[in-house]
Amino acid sequence: MRPYIVINGKDSRSIEGLLICSTPSIRKPLKRSNKEEIDGVDGDIITILGYSAYDKSFDIGLTKDYDIDEVIEYFNTSGTVIFSNEPDKYYNFNMLEAIDFEKLIRFKTATVTMHVQPFKYSAIESERDFTFSDTEGSFKIKNAGNIESKPLLTLEGSGAINLYLNGVEVLAVQLDTSPSIAIDVNSMNAYNPTSGAFLNRYVIGDYNDLMLKVGQNTIAFSGNVTNISIKHYSRWI
């Protein structure tokens, strides 16, 4: 099978005359760190600051009956991308580098560079939904990735709600002004899933405490919760 990519759900094979000649290699993102040397102390002190975004480059080509405007439009975007050598995962990307479309038209080949964020996510994993009728409940969720994940959790209910992860209380939520709240651990924000209005002041605790370890996790609650949905619960580097 020839290489292909999928940008924001649209397969490159649906673009008339566009060829994906290669796919970028799979590699681990660079760790950002701070090194500090202290007089009288051997070696240095390393502080890990996180993972860096990086570039993925690949070659594209043209065949007969191409429409260069359609090709330009296809790459003139940002969002999510799937590469055919990792068909079950997607990256978040931006197009920061220019594409030499003049070269593409003249020589029928060019290089595309996408700036991707360090983590990748499952392209086949579905949102999980759990319904409750008691004032206490729990469910298990598996992070199938290879690094802690930062899920998006949506709660429906009312009043005071306490959230627990693997037996430890992590967040206290007050649902008085809204019947539902979305807690996005990745952006460290809480908001109304319908209006988008921020609801951070109704959440007490550190969002990062809701990160899911690799493997099986148990999320529990106390309070009046009728439904919990969760997505982005697996993550890879």
Side-chain angles (χ1 to χ4, degrees):
M1 180 184 295
R2 78 185 192 201
Y4 65 90
I5 62 172
V6 180
I7 296 179
N8 296 328
K10 188 168 186 178
D11 197 310
S12 61
R13 292 170 294 187
S14 69
I15 308 299
E16 185 70 30
L18 173 64
L19 291 176
I20 305 299
C21 304
S22 64
T23 51
S25 60
I26 302 170
R27 61 187 181 91
K28 180 180 175 181
L30 178 69
K31 274 187 178 181
R32 292 183 290 111
S33 62
N34 180 57
K35 292 193 297 183
E36 183 180 5
E37 294 183 351
I38 300 176
D39 291 342
V41 177
D42 295 326
D44 50 28
I45 297 174
I46 305 294
T47 303
I48 301 302
L49 304 176
Y51 289 93
S52 296
Y54 60 103
D55 291 339
K56 280 184 172 288
S57 298
F58 54 95
D59 294 327
I60 63 173
L62 295 177
T63 62
K64 61 180 181 178
D65 300 326
Y66 66 86
D67 182 339
I68 192 61
D69 291 328
E70 187 179 10
V71 174
I72 292 173
E73 181 182 3
Y74 185 63
F75 288 107
N76 185 31
T77 187
S78 61
T80 64
V81 60
I82 298 171
F83 299 101
S84 58
N85 56 339
E86 292 183 283
D88 59 341
K89 297 179 180 67
Y90 71 86
Y91 295 82
N92 293 308
F93 82 97
N94 291 88
M95 294 293 294
L96 303 181
E97 300 289 334
I99 302 173
D100 191 343
F101 288 109
E102 180 66 29
K103 177 185 175 184
L104 182 62
I105 294 171
R106 291 186 61 190
F107 301 105
K108 303 298 184 287
T109 184
T111 299
V112 174
T113 299
M114 290 181 168
H115 187 69
V116 301
Q117 296 304 310
F119 301 108
K120 47 193 173 184
Y121 302 87
S122 174
I124 58 176
E125 196 172 69
S126 60
E127 181 176 3
R128 299 286 304 279
D129 196 74
F130 302 89
T131 301
F132 304 96
S133 57
D134 296 326
T135 55
E136 291 185 347
S138 66
F139 63 92
K140 293 186 181 297
I141 196 76
K142 183 179 181 181
N143 174 4
N146 59 10
I147 194 170
E148 297 94 341
S149 66
K150 296 185 175 183
L152 173 60
L153 202 72
T154 302
L155 307 178
E156 295 179 16
S158 62
I161 299 166
N162 295 313
L163 283 178
Y164 305 83
L165 176 61
N166 299 322
V168 178
E169 183 175 353
V170 290
L171 295 177
V173 181
Q174 193 69 35
L175 274 181
D176 288 334
T177 61
S178 173
S180 61
I181 187 171
I183 299 172
D184 188 342
V185 181
N186 190 53
S187 67
M188 292 195 290
N189 274 312
Y191 56 89
N192 184 309
T194 302
S195 68
F198 287 117
L199 300 174
N200 291 300
R201 59 181 172 172
Y202 298 105
V203 180
I204 298 174
D206 188 340
Y207 293 112
N208 277 329
D209 289 340
L210 197 54
M211 286 198 301
L212 304 181
K213 67 180 182 180
V214 174
Q216 198 80 273
N217 294 265
T218 300
I219 295 177
F221 71 88
S222 62
N224 185 23
V225 174
T226 56
N227 188 270
I228 298 178
S229 62
I230 185 170
K231 58 183 179 180
H232 306 323
Y233 45 87
S234 294
R235 191 168 70 159
W236 289 260
I237 54 173

